[in-house]
């Protein structure tokens, strides 16, 4: 199934919540099955939340969990976003999309004006590849 997923993703930007875990699993599996990690750029909404809350839009290497737990549900409540059923793949994806769009608008009002800047602020700290 992994080759089909990689083909589906193509060279698209991947957006998710706490992507360090997901990308770690995906990249380990891709290394074993496909001979290397995914090359897709990725943005982690958890890191965007951290940057937004701290007002720090610089690239950081600190772990993204220092202010959390910050589940999609809690963040959606805090930011008054529509809420979806938790722990359901489609519903979680929709919840994450709303959070991403909210943060995109908030960060765009500050210093983040380009996709490159957004990626620098929101890229996940990937787990070591082994």
């Amino acid at each position: 199934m992994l080759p089909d997923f990689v083909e589906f993703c193509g060279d698209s930007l991947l957006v998710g919540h706490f992507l360090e875990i997901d990308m770690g699993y995906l990249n380990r599996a891709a290394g074993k099955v496909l001979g290397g990690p995914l090359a897709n750029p990725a943005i982690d909404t958890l890191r965007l939340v951290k940057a937004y809350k701290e007002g720090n839009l610089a690239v950081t290497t600190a772990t993204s969990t220092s202010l959390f737990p910050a589940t999609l549900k809690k963040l959606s409540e805090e930011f008054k976003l529509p809420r979806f059923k938790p722990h359901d793949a489609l519903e979680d994806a929709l919840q994450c999309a709303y959070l991403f769009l909210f943060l995109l608008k908030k960060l765009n009002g500050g210093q983040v004006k380009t996709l490159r800047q957004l990626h620098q602020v929101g890229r996940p700290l990937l787990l070591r590849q082994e």
Side-chain angles (χ1 to χ4, degrees), residues 65-79:
T65 56
S66 62
L67 297 177
F68 301 101
T71 63
L72 285 170
K73 178 183 176 183
K74 287 181 183 180
L75 290 168
S76 295
E77 290 170 357
E78 179 179 342
F79 296 136

Side-chain angles (χ1 to χ4, degrees), residues 3 9 11 15 23 25 31 40 46 54 64-65 67 69 78 84-85 95-96 99 101 103 109-110 115 122 125:
C9 290
D11 60 356
V15 176
M23 293 303 291
Y25 287 127
N40 300 66
L46 190 60
E54 291 179 347
S64 59
T65 56
L67 297 177
E78 179 179 342
F84 296 87
K85 185 174 101 180
Q95 192 74 74
C96 187
L99 179 60
L101 292 173
L103 293 166
L115 184 56
L125 295 175

Side-chain angles (χ1 to χ4, degrees), residues 110-125:
Q111 300 170 348
V112 177
K113 302 289 184 189
T114 68
L115 184 56
R116 178 174 297 216
Q117 290 170 330
L118 184 67
H119 182 251
Q120 287 176 330
V121 173
R123 71 175 168 229
L125 295 175

Side-chain angles (χ1 to χ4, degrees), residues 13 17 20 35 38 40 68 126 129:
L13 172 70
H17 192 71
E20 293 166 18
L38 292 158
N40 300 66
F68 301 101
L126 299 180
Q129 304 297 314

